[in-house]
Amino acid sequence: LVGSPSTQSQAFNLKKGNAITLKNGTITSTVARMLVQNYADLTLDNMVLDGENLAAKNGKGSDYVAYTLSNCDGDTVITGNSVIKARVLDGQTSFAFDTYYKAGTYEDATVTVNGATIDGNVELAGGSLTLTAGTLNGALVAGSNIEKGTVTKDDAFTAAAPAGYEWKDGVLTAIYPAA
C-alpha cells in the first residue's frame, strides 16, 4: 500500500504534475481502503476501478466510508466504457469518487464523466464536475465546500440533485431559501 507515511492505505497515489492514462484494464483490492488517490492529470479510458471489496475497517477496527477514486487536484477524465464501483457494506454505499476544493498548494480538482458507469455515490466537496455521458447508479452527495465548486450536466445524463439543490439549465444550484 502507498500514501503519506501515516496513511499508507491506497493502491495508487498519483502525484501532482504528472499526466497519466490508464486504459483497458481493471484495478481492484481487498487490502486497500482507497484504490486511487489522484493529484495528477488522469485519464481513465475503458477502465474498471472496482472498489466493491475495499477494506472495511480503519486502523482502529471501525467501519468507515471508502473512496474508490479520490480527486484532490488535477484534471480527471473518465471516458470510454469505464466503470467505477463503490463498496457497499451493511447497506451503506461508500463513494465511487469525489471532487475536492483546493487546499494548500493544490488546485481545485476537475472531473469530467464522458461515457462511464458510476456504481456508487459521488461526493461533491468543491472542485468541478461535468457529467456529459454515462450513468450514475447512486447519488450526488453534497459534501463540505460544495458551494465552492461547479457541477454541470448534459440533459442526456440522468442524476438527481442532492437535497437543497436543483438543476437550472444544467447547472447544480442551491435552493434559496432552502426547502
Side-chain angles (χ1 to χ4, degrees), residues 34-126:
M34 179 185 298
L35 278 183
V36 179
Q37 175 95 48
N38 182 42
Y39 299 90
D41 290 337
L42 173 63
T43 299
L44 300 173
D45 185 0
N46 200 36
M47 281 296 296
V48 175
L49 298 185
D50 185 351
E52 290 181 308
N53 296 306
L54 289 173
K57 303 285 184 188
N58 65 19
K60 300 176 183 156
S62 301
D63 290 341
Y64 67 95
V65 175
Y67 293 83
T68 301
L69 169 63
S70 183
N71 297 289
C72 298
D73 195 342
D75 298 323
T76 300
V77 177
I78 305 167
T79 192
N81 291 313
S82 293
V83 177
I84 300 180
K85 299 178 184 180
R87 185 191 76 208
V88 177
L89 179 66
D90 298 329
Q92 179 184 3
T93 301
S94 289
F95 292 104
F97 68 86
D98 58 10
T99 61
Y100 269 100
Y101 172 70
K102 65 182 174 183
T105 60
Y106 300 111
E107 299 298 321
D108 291 352
T110 65
V111 179
T112 301
V113 177
N114 185 15
T117 300
I118 310 302
D119 290 330
N121 297 330
V122 174
E123 183 181 34
L124 307 172

Coordinates of all heavy atoms in Angstrom, one line a residue, residues 34-126:
M34 N -8.5 2.7 -0.2 CA -8.8 3.6 -1.4 C -8.0 3.0 -2.6 O -6.8 2.8 -2.4 CB -8.4 5.0 -1.1 CG -8.6 6.0 -2.2 SD -7.9 7.6 -1.8 CE -8.8 8.1 -0.3
L35 N -8.7 2.9 -3.7 CA -7.9 2.4 -4.9 C -7.0 3.5 -5.4 O -5.8 3.2 -5.6 CB -8.9 2.0 -6.0 CG -9.5 0.6 -5.9 CD1 -10.4 0.3 -7.1 CD2 -8.4 -0.5 -5.7
V36 N -7.5 4.7 -5.7 CA -6.6 5.7 -6.4 C -6.8 7.0 -5.6 O -7.9 7.5 -5.6 CB -7.0 5.8 -7.9 CG1 -6.1 6.9 -8.5 CG2 -6.8 4.5 -8.6
Q37 N -5.7 7.6 -5.1 CA -5.7 8.9 -4.6 C -5.0 9.7 -5.7 O -3.9 9.5 -6.1 CB -4.9 9.0 -3.3 CG -4.7 10.4 -2.8 CD -5.7 10.8 -1.8 OE1 -6.0 10.0 -0.9 NE2 -6.3 11.9 -1.9
N38 N -5.8 10.7 -6.3 CA -5.3 11.4 -7.5 C -5.0 12.8 -7.3 O -5.9 13.6 -6.9 CB -6.3 11.2 -8.7 CG -5.8 11.9 -9.9 OD1 -4.6 11.8 -10.3 ND2 -6.6 12.6 -10.6
Y39 N -3.8 13.3 -7.6 CA -3.4 14.7 -7.7 C -2.9 15.0 -9.1 O -2.5 16.2 -9.3 CB -2.2 14.9 -6.7 CG -2.6 14.6 -5.2 CD1 -2.4 13.4 -4.7 CD2 -3.1 15.6 -4.4 CE1 -2.7 13.1 -3.4 CE2 -3.4 15.4 -3.1 CZ -3.2 14.1 -2.6 OH -3.6 13.9 -1.3
A40 N -2.9 14.1 -10.0 CA -2.3 14.3 -11.4 C -3.4 14.6 -12.4 O -4.6 14.6 -12.0 CB -1.6 13.0 -11.8
D41 N -3.0 14.8 -13.6 CA -4.0 14.9 -14.7 C -4.2 13.4 -15.1 O -3.2 12.8 -15.6 CB -3.5 15.7 -15.9 CG -3.4 17.2 -15.5 OD1 -4.2 17.6 -14.7 OD2 -2.7 17.9 -16.2
L42 N -5.4 12.9 -14.9 CA -5.6 11.4 -15.1 C -6.7 11.2 -16.1 O -7.8 11.8 -16.0 CB -6.1 10.8 -13.7 CG -6.5 9.4 -13.7 CD1 -5.4 8.4 -14.1 CD2 -7.1 9.0 -12.3
T43 N -6.5 10.3 -17.0 CA -7.5 9.8 -18.0 C -7.7 8.3 -17.7 O -6.8 7.5 -17.7 CB -7.1 10.0 -19.4 OG1 -6.9 11.4 -19.7 CG2 -8.1 9.5 -20.4
L44 N -9.0 8.0 -17.5 CA -9.4 6.6 -17.3 C -10.2 6.3 -18.6 O -11.2 6.8 -18.9 CB -10.3 6.4 -16.1 CG -9.7 6.7 -14.8 CD1 -10.7 6.7 -13.7 CD2 -8.5 5.8 -14.5
D45 N -9.6 5.4 -19.5 CA -10.2 5.1 -20.7 C -10.5 3.6 -20.8 O -9.6 2.8 -20.8 CB -9.3 5.5 -21.9 CG -9.9 5.3 -23.3 OD1 -11.0 4.8 -23.4 OD2 -9.2 5.6 -24.2
N46 N -11.8 3.2 -20.7 CA -12.2 1.8 -20.7 C -11.6 1.1 -19.6 O -11.1 0.0 -19.7 CB -11.9 1.2 -22.1 CG -12.7 -0.1 -22.3 OD1 -13.8 -0.2 -21.9 ND2 -12.1 -1.1 -22.9
M47 N -11.6 1.7 -18.4 CA -11.0 1.2 -17.2 C -12.1 0.8 -16.2 O -13.2 1.4 -16.2 CB -10.1 2.2 -16.5 CG -8.8 2.3 -17.0 SD -7.7 0.8 -17.0 CE -7.6 0.6 -15.2
V48 N -11.9 -0.2 -15.4 CA -12.8 -0.6 -14.3 C -12.0 -0.4 -13.0 O -10.9 -1.0 -12.8 CB -13.2 -2.1 -14.4 CG1 -14.0 -2.4 -13.1 CG2 -14.0 -2.3 -15.6
L49 N -12.5 0.6 -12.2 CA -11.9 0.7 -10.8 C -13.0 0.1 -9.9 O -14.0 0.6 -9.7 CB -11.8 2.2 -10.5 CG -10.8 3.0 -11.3 CD1 -10.6 4.4 -10.8 CD2 -9.4 2.3 -11.4
D50 N -12.6 -1.1 -9.5 CA -13.6 -1.9 -8.7 C -13.3 -1.8 -7.2 O -12.4 -2.5 -6.7 CB -13.5 -3.4 -9.2 CG -14.6 -4.2 -8.5 OD1 -15.2 -3.8 -7.5 OD2 -14.7 -5.4 -8.9
G51 N -14.0 -0.9 -6.5 CA -13.8 -0.8 -5.1 C -14.8 -1.6 -4.3 O -14.9 -1.3 -3.0
E52 N -15.5 -2.5 -4.9 CA -16.5 -3.3 -4.1 C -15.9 -4.1 -2.9 O -16.6 -4.3 -2.0 CB -17.2 -4.2 -5.1 CG -18.1 -3.6 -6.1 CD -18.9 -4.5 -6.9 OE1 -18.2 -5.4 -7.5 OE2 -20.1 -4.4 -7.0
N53 N -14.6 -4.4 -3.0 CA -14.0 -5.2 -2.0 C -13.0 -4.5 -1.2 O -12.1 -5.1 -0.6 CB -13.5 -6.5 -2.6 CG -14.6 -7.4 -3.1 OD1 -15.5 -7.7 -2.5 ND2 -14.5 -7.7 -4.4
L54 N -13.0 -3.2 -1.2 CA -12.0 -2.4 -0.4 C -12.1 -2.8 1.1 O -13.2 -3.2 1.5 CB -12.3 -0.9 -0.6 CG -11.9 -0.3 -1.9 CD1 -12.4 1.1 -2.0 CD2 -10.5 -0.4 -2.2
A55 N -11.0 -2.7 1.8 CA -11.0 -3.0 3.2 C -12.1 -2.2 3.9 O -12.4 -1.1 3.7 CB -9.7 -2.7 3.8
A56 N -12.8 -2.9 4.9 CA -13.9 -2.3 5.5 C -13.6 -1.7 6.9 O -14.5 -1.1 7.5 CB -15.0 -3.4 5.7
K57 N -12.4 -1.9 7.4 CA -12.1 -1.3 8.7 C -11.0 -0.3 8.6 O -10.1 -0.5 7.8 CB -11.6 -2.5 9.6 CG -12.6 -3.6 9.8 CD -13.8 -3.2 10.7 CE -14.7 -4.4 10.9 NZ -15.9 -4.0 11.6
N58 N -11.0 0.7 9.4 CA -9.9 1.6 9.5 C -8.9 1.0 10.5 O -9.1 -0.1 11.0 CB -10.3 3.0 9.9 CG -10.9 3.1 11.3 OD1 -10.6 2.2 12.2 ND2 -11.6 4.2 11.6
G59 N -7.8 1.7 10.8 CA -6.7 1.2 11.6 C -7.2 0.9 13.0 O -6.5 0.1 13.8
K60 N -8.3 1.4 13.5 CA -8.8 1.3 14.8 C -9.9 0.2 14.9 O -10.5 0.0 15.9 CB -9.3 2.6 15.4 CG -8.2 3.6 15.4 CD -8.7 5.0 15.9 CE -7.6 6.0 15.8 NZ -8.0 7.3 15.6
G61 N -10.1 -0.5 13.8 CA -11.1 -1.5 13.8 C -12.5 -1.1 13.5 O -13.5 -1.8 13.6
S62 N -12.7 0.2 13.2 CA -14.0 0.8 13.0 C -14.3 0.8 11.5 O -13.5 1.0 10.7 CB -14.1 2.2 13.5 OG -13.8 2.3 14.9
D63 N -15.6 0.6 11.2 CA -16.1 0.7 9.8 C -15.9 2.2 9.4 O -16.0 3.1 10.2 CB -17.5 0.3 9.6 CG -17.7 -1.2 9.8 OD1 -16.7 -1.9 9.7 OD2 -18.9 -1.6 10.1
Y64 N -15.7 2.4 8.1 CA -15.6 3.8 7.6 C -16.1 3.8 6.2 O -16.2 2.8 5.5 CB -14.1 4.3 7.7 CG -13.2 3.5 6.8 CD1 -13.0 4.0 5.5 CD2 -12.7 2.3 7.1 CE1 -12.2 3.2 4.6 CE2 -12.0 1.5 6.3 CZ -11.7 2.0 5.0 OH -11.0 1.3 4.1
V65 N -16.3 5.0 5.7 CA -16.7 5.2 4.3 C -15.5 5.1 3.5 O -14.5 5.8 3.8 CB -17.5 6.5 4.2 CG1 -17.8 6.8 2.7 CG2 -18.7 6.5 5.0
A66 N -15.5 4.4 2.4 CA -14.4 4.2 1.5 C -14.6 5.1 0.2 O -15.7 5.4 -0.2 CB -14.2 2.8 1.1
Y67 N -13.4 5.4 -0.4 CA -13.4 6.1 -1.7 C -12.7 5.2 -2.7 O -11.6 4.8 -2.5 CB -12.7 7.4 -1.6 CG -13.4 8.4 -0.7 CD1 -13.3 8.4 0.6 CD2 -14.3 9.4 -1.3 CE1 -13.9 9.3 1.4 CE2 -14.9 10.3 -0.5 CZ -14.8 10.3 0.8 OH -15.4 11.2 1.6
T68 N -13.4 4.9 -3.8 CA -12.7 4.2 -4.9 C -11.7 5.1 -5.6 O -10.5 4.7 -5.8 CB -13.7 3.6 -5.9 OG1 -14.6 2.8 -5.2 CG2 -13.0 2.8 -7.0
L69 N -12.1 6.3 -5.9 CA -11.2 7.3 -6.5 C -11.4 8.6 -5.8 O -12.5 9.1 -5.7 CB -11.6 7.4 -8.0 CG -11.0 8.6 -8.8 CD1 -9.5 8.4 -8.9 CD2 -11.6 8.6 -10.2
S70 N -10.3 9.2 -5.3 CA -10.4 10.5 -4.7 C -9.6 11.5 -5.5 O -8.4 11.3 -5.8 CB -9.8 10.4 -3.3 OG -10.0 11.7 -2.6
N71 N -10.3 12.5 -6.0 CA -9.7 13.5 -6.9 C -9.4 14.8 -6.1 O -10.3 15.5 -5.7 CB -10.7 13.9 -8.0 CG -11.0 12.6 -8.8 OD1 -10.1 12.2 -9.6 ND2 -12.2 12.1 -8.7
C72 N -8.1 15.0 -5.8 CA -7.7 16.1 -4.9 C -7.0 17.2 -5.7 O -6.8 18.3 -5.1 CB -6.7 15.5 -3.9 SG -7.4 14.3 -2.8
D73 N -6.7 17.0 -6.9 CA -6.0 18.0 -7.7 C -6.0 17.5 -9.2 O -6.3 16.3 -9.4 CB -4.6 18.3 -7.3 CG -3.9 19.5 -7.8 OD1 -4.4 20.1 -8.8 OD2 -2.9 20.0 -7.3
G74 N -5.7 18.3 -10.1 CA -5.6 17.9 -11.5 C -6.9 17.7 -12.2 O -8.0 17.9 -11.6
D75 N -6.8 17.3 -13.5 CA -8.0 17.1 -14.3 C -8.2 15.6 -14.5 O -7.3 15.0 -15.0 CB -7.8 17.8 -15.7 CG -7.6 19.3 -15.5 OD1 -8.3 19.9 -14.7 OD2 -6.9 19.9 -16.3
T76 N -9.3 15.1 -14.2 CA -9.6 13.7 -14.4 C -10.7 13.6 -15.4 O -11.7 14.2 -15.3 CB -10.1 13.1 -13.0 OG1 -9.1 13.2 -12.1 CG2 -10.4 11.6 -13.2
V77 N -10.4 12.7 -16.4 CA -11.4 12.4 -17.5 C -11.7 10.9 -17.4 O -10.8 10.1 -17.5 CB -10.9 12.8 -18.9 CG1 -11.9 12.4 -19.9 CG2 -10.6 14.3 -18.9
I78 N -13.0 10.6 -17.2 CA -13.5 9.2 -17.2 C -14.2 9.0 -18.4 O -15.3 9.6 -18.6 CB -14.3 9.0 -15.9 CG1 -13.5 9.4 -14.7 CG2 -14.7 7.5 -15.8 CD1 -14.4 9.5 -13.4
T79 N -13.7 8.1 -19.3 CA -14.3 8.0 -20.7 C -14.3 6.6 -21.1 O -13.9 5.7 -20.4 CB -13.5 8.9 -21.7 OG1 -14.2 9.0 -22.9 CG2 -12.1 8.4 -21.9
G80 N -14.7 6.4 -22.4 CA -14.8 5.0 -22.9 C -16.0 4.3 -22.2 O -17.0 5.0 -21.9
N81 N -15.8 3.1 -22.0 CA -16.8 2.4 -21.2 C -16.3 2.1 -19.8 O -16.5 1.0 -19.3 CB -17.2 1.0 -21.9 CG -17.9 1.3 -23.2 OD1 -18.9 2.1 -23.2 ND2 -17.5 0.6 -24.3
S82 N -15.7 3.1 -19.2 CA -15.1 2.9 -17.9 C -16.2 2.7 -16.9 O -17.4 3.2 -17.0 CB -14.3 4.2 -17.5 OG -13.2 4.3 -18.3
V83 N -15.9 2.0 -15.8 CA -16.8 1.7 -14.7 C -16.1 2.0 -13.4 O -15.0 1.5 -13.2 CB -17.3 0.2 -14.7 CG1 -18.2 -0.1 -13.5 CG2 -18.0 -0.1 -16.0
I84 N -16.8 2.7 -12.5 CA -16.2 2.9 -11.2 C -17.2 2.4 -10.2 O -18.4 2.9 -10.2 CB -15.9 4.4 -10.9 CG1 -14.9 4.9 -11.9 CG2 -15.4 4.6 -9.5 CD1 -14.5 6.4 -11.8
K85 N -16.8 1.4 -9.4 CA -17.7 0.8 -8.4 C -17.3 1.1 -7.0 O -16.1 0.9 -6.6 CB -17.6 -0.8 -8.6 CG -18.0 -1.2 -10.0 CD -17.9 -2.7 -10.1 CE -18.2 -3.3 -11.4 NZ -18.1 -4.7 -11.5
A86 N -18.3 1.5 -6.2 CA -18.0 1.8 -4.8 C -18.3 0.5 -3.9 O -19.1 -0.3 -4.4 CB -18.9 2.9 -4.3
R87 N -17.8 0.5 -2.8 CA -18.0 -0.6 -1.8 C -19.4 -0.3 -1.2 O -19.8 0.8 -0.9 CB -17.0 -0.6 -0.7 CG -17.1 -1.7 0.3 CD -16.3 -1.6 1.5 NE -16.9 -0.6 2.3 CZ -16.2 0.1 3.2 NH1 -14.9 0.1 3.3 NH2 -16.9 1.0 4.0
V88 N -20.1 -1.4 -1.0 CA -21.4 -1.4 -0.2 C -21.2 -2.3 1.0 O -20.8 -3.5 0.8 CB -22.6 -1.9 -1.1 CG1 -23.8 -1.9 -0.2 CG2 -22.8 -1.0 -2.3
L89 N -21.3 -1.8 2.2 CA -21.1 -2.5 3.4 C -22.3 -2.3 4.3 O -22.7 -1.2 4.7 CB -19.9 -2.1 4.1 CG -19.5 -2.8 5.4 CD1 -19.2 -4.2 5.2 CD2 -18.4 -2.1 6.1
D90 N -23.0 -3.4 4.7 CA -24.2 -3.4 5.5 C -25.2 -2.4 5.0 O -25.8 -1.6 5.7 CB -23.8 -3.1 7.0 CG -22.9 -4.1 7.6 OD1 -23.1 -5.3 7.2 OD2 -22.1 -3.8 8.4
G91 N -25.4 -2.4 3.7 CA -26.4 -1.5 3.1 C -25.9 0.0 2.9 O -26.6 0.8 2.3
Q92 N -24.7 0.3 3.4 CA -24.2 1.7 3.2 C -23.3 1.7 2.0 O -22.3 1.0 2.0 CB -23.5 2.1 4.5 CG -22.9 3.5 4.3 CD -22.1 4.0 5.5 OE1 -21.8 3.2 6.5 NE2 -21.6 5.2 5.5
T93 N -23.6 2.6 1.1 CA -22.7 2.8 -0.1 C -21.7 3.8 0.2 O -21.9 4.9 0.6 CB -23.6 3.2 -1.3 OG1 -24.6 2.2 -1.5 CG2 -22.7 3.4 -2.6
S94 N -20.4 3.4 -0.1 CA -19.3 4.4 0.0 C -19.3 5.2 -1.3 O -20.2 5.1 -2.1 CB -18.0 3.6 0.2 OG -18.0 3.1 1.5
F95 N -18.2 5.9 -1.5 CA -18.1 6.8 -2.6 C -17.3 6.2 -3.8 O -16.2 5.7 -3.6 CB -17.5 8.1 -2.2 CG -18.4 8.9 -1.3 CD1 -18.1 9.0 0.1 CD2 -19.5 9.6 -1.8 CE1 -18.9 9.7 0.9 CE2 -20.3 10.3 -0.9 CZ -20.0 10.3 0.4
A96 N -17.9 6.3 -5.0 CA -17.2 5.9 -6.2 C -16.1 6.9 -6.4 O -15.0 6.5 -6.7 CB -18.2 5.8 -7.4
F97 N -16.4 8.2 -6.3 CA -15.3 9.2 -6.4 C -15.8 10.5 -5.7 O -17.0 10.6 -5.3 CB -14.8 9.4 -7.8 CG -15.8 10.0 -8.7 CD1 -15.9 11.4 -8.8 CD2 -16.6 9.3 -9.6 CE1 -16.8 12.0 -9.7 CE2 -17.5 9.9 -10.5 CZ -17.6 11.2 -10.6
D98 N -14.9 11.4 -5.6 CA -15.2 12.7 -5.1 C -14.5 13.8 -5.9 O -13.7 13.5 -6.8 CB -14.8 12.8 -3.6 CG -13.3 12.6 -3.4 OD1 -12.5 12.5 -4.4 OD2 -12.9 12.4 -2.3
T99 N -14.9 15.0 -5.6 CA -14.2 16.2 -6.2 C -13.9 17.1 -5.0 O -14.7 17.3 -4.1 CB -15.1 17.0 -7.2 OG1 -16.3 17.4 -6.6 CG2 -15.5 16.1 -8.4
Y100 N -12.7 17.7 -5.0 CA -12.2 18.5 -3.9 C -11.9 19.9 -4.3 O -11.3 20.2 -5.4 CB -11.0 17.9 -3.2 CG -11.5 16.9 -2.1 CD1 -11.5 15.6 -2.3 CD2 -11.9 17.5 -0.9 CE1 -12.0 14.8 -1.3 CE2 -12.4 16.6 0.1 CZ -12.4 15.3 -0.1 OH -12.8 14.5 0.9
Y101 N -12.2 20.8 -3.4 CA -11.8 22.2 -3.5 C -10.3 22.3 -3.1 O -9.8 21.6 -2.3 CB -12.6 23.0 -2.5 CG -12.3 24.4 -2.3 CD1 -12.5 25.4 -3.3 CD2 -11.7 24.9 -1.1 CE1 -12.1 26.7 -3.1 CE2 -11.4 26.2 -0.9 CZ -11.6 27.1 -1.9 OH -11.3 28.4 -1.7
K102 N -9.6 23.3 -3.7 CA -8.2 23.4 -3.4 C -7.9 23.6 -1.9 O -8.6 24.2 -1.2 CB -7.6 24.6 -4.2 CG -8.1 26.0 -3.8 CD -7.5 27.0 -4.7 CE -8.1 28.4 -4.4 NZ -7.6 29.4 -5.2
A103 N -6.7 23.0 -1.6 CA -6.2 23.1 -0.2 C -4.7 23.2 -0.3 O -4.1 22.5 -1.0 CB -6.6 21.9 0.6
G104 N -4.2 24.2 0.4 CA -2.7 24.3 0.4 C -2.2 24.6 -0.9 O -2.6 25.6 -1.6
T105 N -1.2 23.8 -1.4 CA -0.6 24.0 -2.7 C -1.4 23.4 -3.9 O -0.9 23.4 -5.0 CB 0.8 23.5 -2.7 OG1 0.8 22.1 -2.4 CG2 1.7 24.2 -1.7
Y106 N -2.5 22.7 -3.6 CA -3.3 22.1 -4.6 C -4.3 23.0 -5.2 O -4.8 23.9 -4.6 CB -3.9 20.8 -4.0 CG -2.9 19.8 -3.5 CD1 -2.8 19.6 -2.1 CD2 -2.0 19.2 -4.3 CE1 -1.8 18.7 -1.7 CE2 -1.1 18.3 -3.9 CZ -1.0 18.1 -2.5 OH 0.0 17.2 -2.1
E107 N -4.7 22.7 -6.4 CA -5.7 23.4 -7.1 C -7.0 22.6 -7.0 O -7.1 21.5 -6.6 CB -5.4 23.6 -8.6 CG -4.1 24.4 -8.8 CD -4.2 25.8 -8.3 OE1 -5.2 26.5 -8.4 OE2 -3.2 26.3 -7.7
D108 N -8.1 23.3 -7.5 CA -9.4 22.5 -7.5 C -9.3 21.3 -8.4 O -8.7 21.4 -9.5 CB -10.5 23.4 -8.1 CG -10.9 24.5 -7.1 OD1 -10.4 24.6 -6.0 OD2 -11.7 25.4 -7.6
A109 N -9.8 20.2 -8.0 CA -9.9 19.0 -8.8 C -11.0 19.2 -9.9 O -12.1 19.8 -9.5 CB -10.2 17.8 -8.0
T110 N -10.8 18.8 -11.1 CA -11.9 18.8 -12.1 C -12.1 17.4 -12.6 O -11.1 16.7 -12.8 CB -11.6 19.7 -13.3 OG1 -10.4 19.2 -14.0 CG2 -11.3 21.2 -12.8
V111 N -13.3 17.0 -12.7 CA -13.7 15.7 -13.1 C -14.7 15.8 -14.3 O -15.7 16.5 -14.1 CB -14.2 14.8 -12.0 CG1 -14.6 13.4 -12.5 CG2 -13.2 14.7 -10.8
T112 N -14.4 15.1 -15.4 CA -15.4 15.0 -16.5 C -15.7 13.5 -16.7 O -14.8 12.7 -16.9 CB -14.8 15.6 -17.8 OG1 -14.4 16.9 -17.5 CG2 -15.7 15.5 -18.9
V113 N -17.0 13.2 -16.6 CA -17.5 11.9 -16.9 C -18.1 11.9 -18.3 O -19.1 12.6 -18.5 CB -18.6 11.4 -15.9 CG1 -19.1 10.1 -16.2 CG2 -18.0 11.5 -14.5
N114 N -17.5 11.2 -19.2 CA -17.9 11.2 -20.6 C -18.0 9.7 -21.1 O -17.0 9.3 -21.7 CB -17.0 12.0 -21.5 CG -17.4 12.1 -22.9 OD1 -18.6 11.9 -23.2 ND2 -16.6 12.6 -23.8
G115 N -19.1 9.1 -20.8 CA -19.2 7.7 -21.3 C -18.8 6.7 -20.3 O -17.9 5.8 -20.5
A116 N -19.3 6.8 -19.1 CA -18.9 5.8 -18.0 C -20.1 5.5 -17.2 O -21.1 6.1 -17.2 CB -17.8 6.5 -17.1
T117 N -19.9 4.4 -16.4 CA -20.9 3.9 -15.5 C -20.4 4.1 -14.1 O -19.3 3.6 -13.8 CB -21.4 2.5 -15.7 OG1 -21.9 2.3 -17.0 CG2 -22.4 2.0 -14.7
I118 N -21.1 4.9 -13.3 CA -20.6 5.1 -11.9 C -21.6 4.3 -11.0 O -22.8 4.7 -10.9 CB -20.7 6.6 -11.5 CG1 -19.9 7.4 -12.6 CG2 -20.1 6.9 -10.2 CD1 -18.5 7.1 -12.9
D119 N -21.1 3.3 -10.3 CA -21.9 2.5 -9.4 C -21.5 2.9 -8.0 O -20.6 2.4 -7.4 CB -21.6 1.0 -9.6 CG -22.2 0.5 -10.9 OD1 -23.2 1.0 -11.4 OD2 -21.6 -0.5 -11.5
G120 N -22.3 3.8 -7.5 CA -22.0 4.3 -6.1 C -22.2 5.8 -6.1 O -22.6 6.4 -7.1
N121 N -22.1 6.4 -4.9 CA -22.3 7.8 -4.7 C -21.1 8.6 -5.1 O -20.0 8.1 -5.2 CB -22.6 8.1 -3.2 CG -23.9 7.4 -2.8 OD1 -24.8 7.2 -3.6 ND2 -23.9 7.0 -1.5
V122 N -21.4 9.9 -5.4 CA -20.3 10.8 -5.8 C -20.4 12.0 -4.8 O -21.4 12.6 -4.6 CB -20.5 11.4 -7.2 CG1 -19.5 12.5 -7.5 CG2 -20.4 10.2 -8.2
E123 N -19.3 12.2 -4.1 CA -19.2 13.3 -3.1 C -18.8 14.6 -3.8 O -17.7 14.6 -4.4 CB -18.3 13.0 -1.9 CG -18.3 14.0 -0.9 CD -17.3 13.7 0.3 OE1 -16.3 13.1 0.0 OE2 -17.7 14.1 1.4
L124 N -19.6 15.6 -3.6 CA -19.3 16.9 -4.2 C -18.7 17.8 -3.1 O -19.5 18.3 -2.2 CB -20.6 17.6 -4.8 CG -21.3 16.7 -5.7 CD1 -22.7 17.3 -6.1 CD2 -20.5 16.4 -7.0
A125 N -17.4 18.0 -3.1 CA -16.7 18.7 -2.0 C -15.9 19.9 -2.6 O -14.8 20.1 -2.2 CB -15.9 17.8 -1.1
G126 N -16.5 20.6 -3.5 CA -15.8 21.6 -4.2 C -15.3 21.1 -5.6 O -15.7 20.1 -6.0

